[in-house]
Amino acid sequence: MRQLELLAPAKNLECGIAAIDHGADAVYIGAERFGARAAAGNSIDDIRRLCDYAHPFGAKVYVTVNTILYDSELDATRQLLCQLSDARVDAILVQDMGIIGMGTHNLTLHASTQTDNRTPEKVRWLRDIGFRRVVLARELSAGEIAEIHRQVPDVELEVFVHGALCVSYSGQCYASQYCFGRSANRGECAQFCRMRFSLVDAEGRVVERDRHLLSLKDLNQSDHLLELIEAGACSFKIEGRLKDAAYVKNVTAAYSQRLNAIISRHPDKYCRSSLGRCTYTFTPDLRRTFNRGYTTYFLDGRQPAIASFDTPKAIGQFVGTVKEIRRDSFNVAGTTSFANGDGLCFLDEHRQLVGFRANRVAGNRIFPYRMPQGLRPGQRLYRNSDQEMDRLLARPSAVRKIAVTLSLRAVDDGFELSAQFSGAVRSVRVAAEHQPAQKPPRENIVRQLSRLGDTIYECERVDIPADFNYFIPNSVLTEMRRQLFESEEFFDERSGKAERRVKSEEFAAAIPASAVDPTSAAANSSLFTLHSSFPSLHSSFLSNISNRLAAAFYGEQAPTAFELKGGEGPLMQCRYCLRYELGYCVRHGGQRPQWREPLFLALGDGRRFRLEFDCKNCQMNVYGSE
């Protein structure tokens, strides 16, 4: 039976706990440094507390150590890995291959999507050098995922299913570093792709003026999880390590329910990778949380309308069309209920997003604090801030419990109480006399043993032999129950602590201690080249080699990262294509364009970025300003 994992983001401890409570099988979180979201760092103590909270449910905690590293940071990274191992994290996400040279830690490695994982060959190479799991590029179709799984069936495949999309293949975007000195590979992306551009041809003619031509809609695969499961994916990742707890609660709950529905239809094939049933005080609804509009991206191959040219901001849920407008209010045609304080928006006649607050609501009539300019009858209205949903999610909104079956029986010297769930069994015994009961004891025993209080467990059933007729004092029953559920051993047996991690020494044992010392000449040892069989782009900044250990791993003489040296080559490699998005890809049935290439993306300050259309590989590349 295949285990399915819902993987949720955690900006901080609060978000991580919320994710577990709302149905996540695993969470990913950043430490204080070296995570691909520099603004989402957390202390080791908070990560340890998150592990302590997650592990009793069998849920896992992955830590992002997925930036490229400089030589001056290697010692600090090695110390961090030791601390994460001590905190009992379940895996780390890695981009920089220099970390393999630090293989003295009891940690499982996952290859971050920043390692640019789009082919069976790359995934096989990553498996061969010791990665248990590979996070695939967001751009892959279900068919391409299935082919990777067919060729490399013994590696776990993690896929993104929800949230913001990068327009460039992850790990291959240098635009932020090039324009602003802020490296996406160092967790400091300035979101170049969300900026406003004009599209200009070789003769200076403007094809599109001041639009967000590289800004994509948000990913939503909630209706296509079974396709991804059947393709071979085992972990389904929600993007959003900068999102707040309300976002995490709603999105995690929505996807958890979808996975459970699939499992209920195929109980002999699939199960969740963690334990516990969640009950919610709200109805999860992906339309009622932050989104730029939704797309399934390349799930079924190339498709149009995956970009959001008009705005990079959240549009939210469509709530109806503007009907009648008065001096201080308007009404909305539709069935949506509104609340005072809702954030509403529309696109005006210039395709500019206009937002405003509902100061007061009377049925479907909205009274803004100030009537927005450009509002017209017939315009489509959206809600991007939902006060009622926010109120629901600001309170405790889910309870997660593990259902257990308790069994009580008499033994020679007393009584034994056992708890069983998901194949795990734990028992405790107490010495006591076998006193015949003066009245049937079953009802009282069930009542006392079922009181699991504020533990993470709920009693599903109490099994007592039909001929059981002994008196047991309530104090004894209470003590047996306490011993059973407060036992550290019980948690460890249930959560499989001994099996949770695999030592990275398995693939780093051949590396001498001197090689992991960044001050040592042995750091360039040819032993590292044992792992460099994959034909990567050596001597190019596209390999993201930024330290001595990574250079030695690839058999290079020195770091070549763009962040250190710059370089000639594309700033972005995109499967997304503006030709296609605008309807001018002849290869895919579009009309023949009238412009003269090359095309350029032009910023308002005059900087231009040349576009290259690599039709052989169905890819668009973005080059530096001219």
Side-chain angles (χ1 to χ4, degrees), residues 298-321:
F298 291 95
L299 178 73
D300 296 314
R302 190 172 292 281
Q303 58 181 315
I306 64 176
S308 177
F309 285 170
D310 297 318
T311 177
K313 298 179 181 179
I315 292 180
Q317 178 186 11
F318 172 68
V319 291
T321 58

PDB file of all heavy atoms in Angstrom, residues 298-321:
ATOM      1  N   PHE A 298       1.365  23.074 -16.384  1.00  0.00           N
ATOM      2  CA  PHE A 298       1.661  22.167 -17.487  1.00  0.00           C
ATOM      3  C   PHE A 298       1.224  20.732 -17.190  1.00  0.00           C
ATOM      4  O   PHE A 298       1.735  19.795 -17.800  1.00  0.00           O
ATOM      5  CB  PHE A 298       3.162  22.191 -17.793  1.00  0.00           C
ATOM      6  CG  PHE A 298       3.636  23.489 -18.382  1.00  0.00           C
ATOM      7  CD1 PHE A 298       4.170  24.480 -17.574  1.00  0.00           C
ATOM      8  CD2 PHE A 298       3.519  23.731 -19.740  1.00  0.00           C
ATOM      9  CE1 PHE A 298       4.591  25.690 -18.105  1.00  0.00           C
ATOM     10  CE2 PHE A 298       3.941  24.930 -20.291  1.00  0.00           C
ATOM     11  CZ  PHE A 298       4.481  25.917 -19.476  1.00  0.00           C
ATOM     12  N   LEU A 299       0.288  20.551 -16.280  1.00  0.00           N
ATOM     13  CA  LEU A 299      -0.126  19.204 -15.876  1.00  0.00           C
ATOM     14  C   LEU A 299      -0.498  18.353 -17.078  1.00  0.00           C
ATOM     15  O   LEU A 299      -0.106  17.184 -17.181  1.00  0.00           O
ATOM     16  CB  LEU A 299      -1.310  19.276 -14.912  1.00  0.00           C
ATOM     17  CG  LEU A 299      -1.845  17.921 -14.456  1.00  0.00           C
ATOM     18  CD1 LEU A 299      -0.889  17.270 -13.467  1.00  0.00           C
ATOM     19  CD2 LEU A 299      -3.231  18.062 -13.843  1.00  0.00           C
ATOM     20  N   ASP A 300      -1.270  18.912 -18.009  1.00  0.00           N
ATOM     21  CA  ASP A 300      -1.693  18.183 -19.212  1.00  0.00           C
ATOM     22  C   ASP A 300      -0.988  18.709 -20.460  1.00  0.00           C
ATOM     23  O   ASP A 300      -1.521  18.631 -21.574  1.00  0.00           O
ATOM     24  CB  ASP A 300      -3.207  18.302 -19.385  1.00  0.00           C
ATOM     25  CG  ASP A 300      -3.965  17.653 -18.246  1.00  0.00           C
ATOM     26  OD1 ASP A 300      -3.606  16.522 -17.875  1.00  0.00           O
ATOM     27  OD2 ASP A 300      -4.892  18.280 -17.703  1.00  0.00           O
ATOM     28  N   GLY A 301       0.195  19.256 -20.279  1.00  0.00           N
ATOM     29  CA  GLY A 301       0.919  19.836 -21.400  1.00  0.00           C
ATOM     30  C   GLY A 301       0.688  21.331 -21.485  1.00  0.00           C
ATOM     31  O   GLY A 301       0.052  21.947 -20.635  1.00  0.00           O
ATOM     32  N   ARG A 302       1.222  21.935 -22.533  1.00  0.00           N
ATOM     33  CA  ARG A 302       1.140  23.383 -22.684  1.00  0.00           C
ATOM     34  C   ARG A 302      -0.311  23.821 -22.883  1.00  0.00           C
ATOM     35  O   ARG A 302      -1.064  23.225 -23.640  1.00  0.00           O
ATOM     36  CB  ARG A 302       1.998  23.827 -23.867  1.00  0.00           C
ATOM     37  CG  ARG A 302       2.174  25.322 -23.973  1.00  0.00           C
ATOM     38  CD  ARG A 302       3.191  25.678 -25.036  1.00  0.00           C
ATOM     39  NE  ARG A 302       4.540  25.275 -24.678  1.00  0.00           N
ATOM     40  CZ  ARG A 302       5.332  25.943 -23.843  1.00  0.00           C
ATOM     41  NH1 ARG A 302       4.872  27.043 -23.247  1.00  0.00           N
ATOM     42  NH2 ARG A 302       6.553  25.533 -23.590  1.00  0.00           N
ATOM     43  N   GLN A 303      -0.694  24.878 -22.166  1.00  0.00           N
ATOM     44  CA  GLN A 303      -2.051  25.408 -22.282  1.00  0.00           C
ATOM     45  C   GLN A 303      -2.007  26.924 -22.132  1.00  0.00           C
ATOM     46  O   GLN A 303      -1.082  27.480 -21.530  1.00  0.00           O
ATOM     47  CB  GLN A 303      -2.958  24.800 -21.209  1.00  0.00           C
ATOM     48  CG  GLN A 303      -2.474  25.043 -19.783  1.00  0.00           C
ATOM     49  CD  GLN A 303      -3.383  24.397 -18.754  1.00  0.00           C
ATOM     50  OE1 GLN A 303      -4.597  24.500 -18.855  1.00  0.00           O
ATOM     51  NE2 GLN A 303      -2.788  23.727 -17.783  1.00  0.00           N
ATOM     52  N   PRO A 304      -3.004  27.650 -22.666  1.00  0.00           N
ATOM     53  CA  PRO A 304      -3.005  29.111 -22.599  1.00  0.00           C
ATOM     54  C   PRO A 304      -3.516  29.612 -21.252  1.00  0.00           C
ATOM     55  O   PRO A 304      -3.958  28.841 -20.401  1.00  0.00           O
ATOM     56  CB  PRO A 304      -3.973  29.497 -23.726  1.00  0.00           C
ATOM     57  CG  PRO A 304      -4.931  28.350 -23.786  1.00  0.00           C
ATOM     58  CD  PRO A 304      -4.119  27.117 -23.474  1.00  0.00           C
ATOM     59  N   ALA A 305      -3.427  30.944 -21.095  1.00  0.00           N
ATOM     60  CA  ALA A 305      -4.017  31.646 -19.938  1.00  0.00           C
ATOM     61  C   ALA A 305      -3.454  31.172 -18.610  1.00  0.00           C
ATOM     62  O   ALA A 305      -4.186  30.998 -17.635  1.00  0.00           O
ATOM     63  CB  ALA A 305      -5.538  31.510 -19.959  1.00  0.00           C
ATOM     64  N   ILE A 306      -2.134  30.986 -18.551  1.00  0.00           N
ATOM     65  CA  ILE A 306      -1.519  30.627 -17.277  1.00  0.00           C
ATOM     66  C   ILE A 306      -0.899  31.852 -16.601  1.00  0.00           C
ATOM     67  O   ILE A 306      -0.433  31.757 -15.467  1.00  0.00           O
ATOM     68  CB  ILE A 306      -0.452  29.529 -17.445  1.00  0.00           C
ATOM     69  CG1 ILE A 306       0.723  30.009 -18.295  1.00  0.00           C
ATOM     70  CG2 ILE A 306      -1.063  28.278 -18.030  1.00  0.00           C
ATOM     71  CD1 ILE A 306       1.844  28.984 -18.416  1.00  0.00           C
ATOM     72  N   ALA A 307      -0.892  32.987 -17.286  1.00  0.00           N
ATOM     73  CA  ALA A 307      -0.313  34.218 -16.725  1.00  0.00           C
ATOM     74  C   ALA A 307      -1.410  35.162 -16.267  1.00  0.00           C
ATOM     75  O   ALA A 307      -2.586  35.036 -16.641  1.00  0.00           O
ATOM     76  CB  ALA A 307       0.571  34.902 -17.758  1.00  0.00           C
ATOM     77  N   SER A 308      -1.012  36.113 -15.428  1.00  0.00           N
ATOM     78  CA  SER A 308      -1.918  37.154 -14.937  1.00  0.00           C
ATOM     79  C   SER A 308      -1.336  38.503 -15.348  1.00  0.00           C
ATOM     80  O   SER A 308      -0.648  39.168 -14.573  1.00  0.00           O
ATOM     81  CB  SER A 308      -2.054  37.050 -13.412  1.00  0.00           C
ATOM     82  OG  SER A 308      -2.863  38.080 -12.906  1.00  0.00           O
ATOM     83  N   PHE A 309      -1.578  38.901 -16.596  1.00  0.00           N
ATOM     84  CA  PHE A 309      -0.956  40.093 -17.153  1.00  0.00           C
ATOM     85  C   PHE A 309      -1.377  41.383 -16.446  1.00  0.00           C
ATOM     86  O   PHE A 309      -0.617  42.351 -16.414  1.00  0.00           O
ATOM     87  CB  PHE A 309      -1.322  40.231 -18.637  1.00  0.00           C
ATOM     88  CG  PHE A 309      -0.608  39.284 -19.556  1.00  0.00           C
ATOM     89  CD1 PHE A 309      -1.007  39.167 -20.882  1.00  0.00           C
ATOM     90  CD2 PHE A 309       0.462  38.516 -19.120  1.00  0.00           C
ATOM     91  CE1 PHE A 309      -0.356  38.307 -21.749  1.00  0.00           C
ATOM     92  CE2 PHE A 309       1.118  37.654 -19.974  1.00  0.00           C
ATOM     93  CZ  PHE A 309       0.707  37.543 -21.281  1.00  0.00           C
ATOM     94  N   ASP A 310      -2.578  41.414 -15.900  1.00  0.00           N
ATOM     95  CA  ASP A 310      -3.110  42.673 -15.394  1.00  0.00           C
ATOM     96  C   ASP A 310      -2.597  43.053 -14.015  1.00  0.00           C
ATOM     97  O   ASP A 310      -2.468  44.232 -13.700  1.00  0.00           O
ATOM     98  CB  ASP A 310      -4.640  42.629 -15.373  1.00  0.00           C
ATOM     99  CG  ASP A 310      -5.216  42.467 -16.769  1.00  0.00           C
ATOM    100  OD1 ASP A 310      -4.703  43.132 -17.692  1.00  0.00           O
ATOM    101  OD2 ASP A 310      -6.153  41.672 -16.938  1.00  0.00           O
ATOM    102  N   THR A 311      -2.316  42.057 -13.172  1.00  0.00           N
ATOM    103  CA  THR A 311      -1.856  42.373 -11.823  1.00  0.00           C
ATOM    104  C   THR A 311      -1.118  41.180 -11.232  1.00  0.00           C
ATOM    105  O   THR A 311      -1.493  40.019 -11.498  1.00  0.00           O
ATOM    106  CB  THR A 311      -3.034  42.740 -10.901  1.00  0.00           C
ATOM    107  OG1 THR A 311      -2.551  42.983  -9.569  1.00  0.00           O
ATOM    108  CG2 THR A 311      -4.081  41.631 -10.847  1.00  0.00           C
ATOM    109  N   PRO A 312      -0.090  41.434 -10.449  1.00  0.00           N
ATOM    110  CA  PRO A 312       0.574  40.345  -9.732  1.00  0.00           C
ATOM    111  C   PRO A 312      -0.013  40.144  -8.334  1.00  0.00           C
ATOM    112  O   PRO A 312       0.453  39.303  -7.582  1.00  0.00           O
ATOM    113  CB  PRO A 312       2.020  40.857  -9.633  1.00  0.00           C
ATOM    114  CG  PRO A 312       1.860  42.346  -9.482  1.00  0.00           C
ATOM    115  CD  PRO A 312       0.636  42.715 -10.308  1.00  0.00           C
ATOM    116  N   LYS A 313      -1.018  40.918  -8.007  1.00  0.00           N
ATOM    117  CA  LYS A 313      -1.614  40.864  -6.670  1.00  0.00           C
ATOM    118  C   LYS A 313      -2.738  39.836  -6.623  1.00  0.00           C
ATOM    119  O   LYS A 313      -3.216  39.354  -7.641  1.00  0.00           O
ATOM    120  CB  LYS A 313      -2.136  42.243  -6.275  1.00  0.00           C
ATOM    121  CG  LYS A 313      -1.057  43.311  -6.204  1.00  0.00           C
ATOM    122  CD  LYS A 313      -1.643  44.666  -5.828  1.00  0.00           C
ATOM    123  CE  LYS A 313      -0.556  45.734  -5.774  1.00  0.00           C
ATOM    124  NZ  LYS A 313      -1.114  47.061  -5.436  1.00  0.00           N
ATOM    125  N   ALA A 314      -3.188  39.560  -5.411  1.00  0.00           N
ATOM    126  CA  ALA A 314      -4.276  38.613  -5.221  1.00  0.00           C
ATOM    127  C   ALA A 314      -5.575  39.210  -5.727  1.00  0.00           C
ATOM    128  O   ALA A 314      -5.933  40.333  -5.365  1.00  0.00           O
ATOM    129  CB  ALA A 314      -4.413  38.243  -3.747  1.00  0.00           C
ATOM    130  N   ILE A 315      -6.254  38.473  -6.571  1.00  0.00           N
ATOM    131  CA  ILE A 315      -7.591  38.856  -7.021  1.00  0.00           C
ATOM    132  C   ILE A 315      -8.645  38.207  -6.132  1.00  0.00           C
ATOM    133  O   ILE A 315      -9.628  38.815  -5.741  1.00  0.00           O
ATOM    134  CB  ILE A 315      -7.810  38.455  -8.491  1.00  0.00           C
ATOM    135  CG1 ILE A 315      -6.919  39.305  -9.401  1.00  0.00           C
ATOM    136  CG2 ILE A 315      -9.265  38.624  -8.894  1.00  0.00           C
ATOM    137  CD1 ILE A 315      -7.065  38.970 -10.868  1.00  0.00           C
ATOM    138  N   GLY A 316      -8.430  36.963  -5.790  1.00  0.00           N
ATOM    139  CA  GLY A 316      -9.335  36.271  -4.888  1.00  0.00           C
ATOM    140  C   GLY A 316     -10.516  35.650  -5.588  1.00  0.00           C
ATOM    141  O   GLY A 316     -10.456  35.244  -6.749  1.00  0.00           O
ATOM    142  N   GLN A 317     -11.626  35.603  -4.883  1.00  0.00           N
ATOM    143  CA  GLN A 317     -12.815  34.881  -5.319  1.00  0.00           C
ATOM    144  C   GLN A 317     -13.766  35.779  -6.103  1.00  0.00           C
ATOM    145  O   GLN A 317     -14.091  36.890  -5.675  1.00  0.00           O
ATOM    146  CB  GLN A 317     -13.540  34.332  -4.081  1.00  0.00           C
ATOM    147  CG  GLN A 317     -14.828  33.595  -4.366  1.00  0.00           C
ATOM    148  CD  GLN A 317     -15.554  33.215  -3.090  1.00  0.00           C
ATOM    149  OE1 GLN A 317     -15.204  33.675  -2.000  1.00  0.00           O
ATOM    150  NE2 GLN A 317     -16.559  32.364  -3.211  1.00  0.00           N
ATOM    151  N   PHE A 318     -14.236  35.293  -7.243  1.00  0.00           N
ATOM    152  CA  PHE A 318     -15.269  36.008  -7.980  1.00  0.00           C
ATOM    153  C   PHE A 318     -16.567  35.960  -7.173  1.00  0.00           C
ATOM    154  O   PHE A 318     -17.021  34.901  -6.753  1.00  0.00           O
ATOM    155  CB  PHE A 318     -15.479  35.374  -9.350  1.00  0.00           C
ATOM    156  CG  PHE A 318     -16.658  35.929 -10.102  1.00  0.00           C
ATOM    157  CD1 PHE A 318     -16.639  37.237 -10.572  1.00  0.00           C
ATOM    158  CD2 PHE A 318     -17.786  35.156 -10.324  1.00  0.00           C
ATOM    159  CE1 PHE A 318     -17.732  37.765 -11.254  1.00  0.00           C
ATOM    160  CE2 PHE A 318     -18.875  35.663 -11.014  1.00  0.00           C
ATOM    161  CZ  PHE A 318     -18.850  36.977 -11.478  1.00  0.00           C
ATOM    162  N   VAL A 319     -17.169  37.139  -6.944  1.00  0.00           N
ATOM    163  CA  VAL A 319     -18.347  37.199  -6.071  1.00  0.00           C
ATOM    164  C   VAL A 319     -19.583  37.745  -6.775  1.00  0.00           C
ATOM    165  O   VAL A 319     -20.642  37.864  -6.154  1.00  0.00           O
ATOM    166  CB  VAL A 319     -18.058  38.033  -4.800  1.00  0.00           C
ATOM    167  CG1 VAL A 319     -17.077  37.306  -3.896  1.00  0.00           C
ATOM    168  CG2 VAL A 319     -17.543  39.435  -5.158  1.00  0.00           C
ATOM    169  N   GLY A 320     -19.491  38.087  -8.047  1.00  0.00           N
ATOM    170  CA  GLY A 320     -20.659  38.568  -8.769  1.00  0.00           C
ATOM    171  C   GLY A 320     -20.330  39.759  -9.658  1.00  0.00           C
ATOM    172  O   GLY A 320     -19.173  40.182  -9.753  1.00  0.00           O
ATOM    173  N   THR A 321     -21.333  40.300 -10.300  1.00  0.00           N
ATOM    174  CA  THR A 321     -21.148  41.471 -11.155  1.00  0.00           C
ATOM    175  C   THR A 321     -21.847  42.685 -10.551  1.00  0.00           C
ATOM    176  O   THR A 321     -22.881  42.570  -9.881  1.00  0.00           O
ATOM    177  CB  THR A 321     -21.705  41.211 -12.564  1.00  0.00           C
ATOM    178  OG1 THR A 321     -23.093  40.863 -12.465  1.00  0.00           O
ATOM    179  CG2 THR A 321     -20.950  40.091 -13.243  1.00  0.00           C
TER     180      THR A 321
END
